[in-house]
Amino acid sequence: MSMTDPIADLLTRIRNAAQARMEQVELPWSKIKVQVVETLVHEGFLKDYSVVEQEGKKVLRVWLKYDSQNRPVISGLKRVSRPSLRVYVGAKEIPAVRGGLGVNVLSTPAGILPDREARKRNLGGELILSVW
């Protein structure tokens, strides 16, 4: 399987692990994935993450978050901008996700930011994903 879109792979693995009620999921490490996961932890969609070394390779370990009824906190994850179709938005055009219940994650000149932060700093960028 060729990895053309590591972010889509990250989202799929998180989605599948949440559906399977797994406590954690491990994926190949990359700087952008760490930033995306960090944002999702910060926004309360994931519990935690760590970077571990396995057989000389860095692995990103992500702990999933569930509510009191053991339902995944993440009910939806969507890749917005894809390698085949990039989606860029200005600070004023950042859409709301599920009436503000979800979060858009953007890649801005200031790094990977949640939509609220990007709006606050008046930064647009590439709309990487939506989560709710």
Side-chain angles (χ1 to χ4, degrees):
M1 177 184 156
S2 75
M3 277 304 310
T4 48
D5 187 357
I7 302 289
D9 175 64
L10 165 80
L11 300 184
T12 300
R13 288 179 195 228
I14 290 175
R15 199 182 293 120
N16 293 346
Q19 231 104 58
R21 299 290 192 275
M22 286 163 67
E23 194 187 346
Q24 59 176 50
V25 60
E26 291 186 354
L27 12 115
W29 177 90
S30 80
K31 224 186 264 179
I32 182 134
K33 285 187 201 171
V34 169
Q35 292 178 318
V36 167
V37 166
E38 207 168 342
T39 303
L40 294 177
V41 168
H42 194 258
E43 290 295 314
F45 287 101
L46 295 171
K47 198 188 286 175
D48 204 0
Y49 76 96
S50 67
V51 177
V52 289
E53 192 118 342
Q54 281 181 357
E55 290 142 35
K57 283 200 181 82
K58 280 186 182 171
V59 174
L60 180 57
R61 189 175 286 157
V62 179
W63 278 269
L64 302 167
K65 199 169 174 181
Y66 299 94
D67 66 12
S68 55
Q69 279 98 47
N70 200 28
R71 290 181 306 225
V73 171
I74 295 176
S75 57
L77 270 173
K78 191 170 144 253
R79 181 81 163 107
V80 180
S81 189
R82 303 188 305 276
S84 57
L85 181 71
R86 299 282 181 200
V87 179
Y88 295 97
V89 289
K92 307 272 182 280
E93 295 107 56
I94 302 170
V97 182
R98 302 268 154 137
L101 294 175
V103 174
N104 276 314
V105 178
L106 292 92
S107 174
T108 71
I112 306 281
L113 296 175
D115 50 10
R116 202 181 44 246
E117 188 66 30
R119 277 192 210 99
K120 201 166 82 189
R121 298 201 206 170
N122 199 24
L123 288 167
E126 186 181 346
L127 198 49
I128 305 178
L129 64 107
S130 297
V131 57
W132 63 89

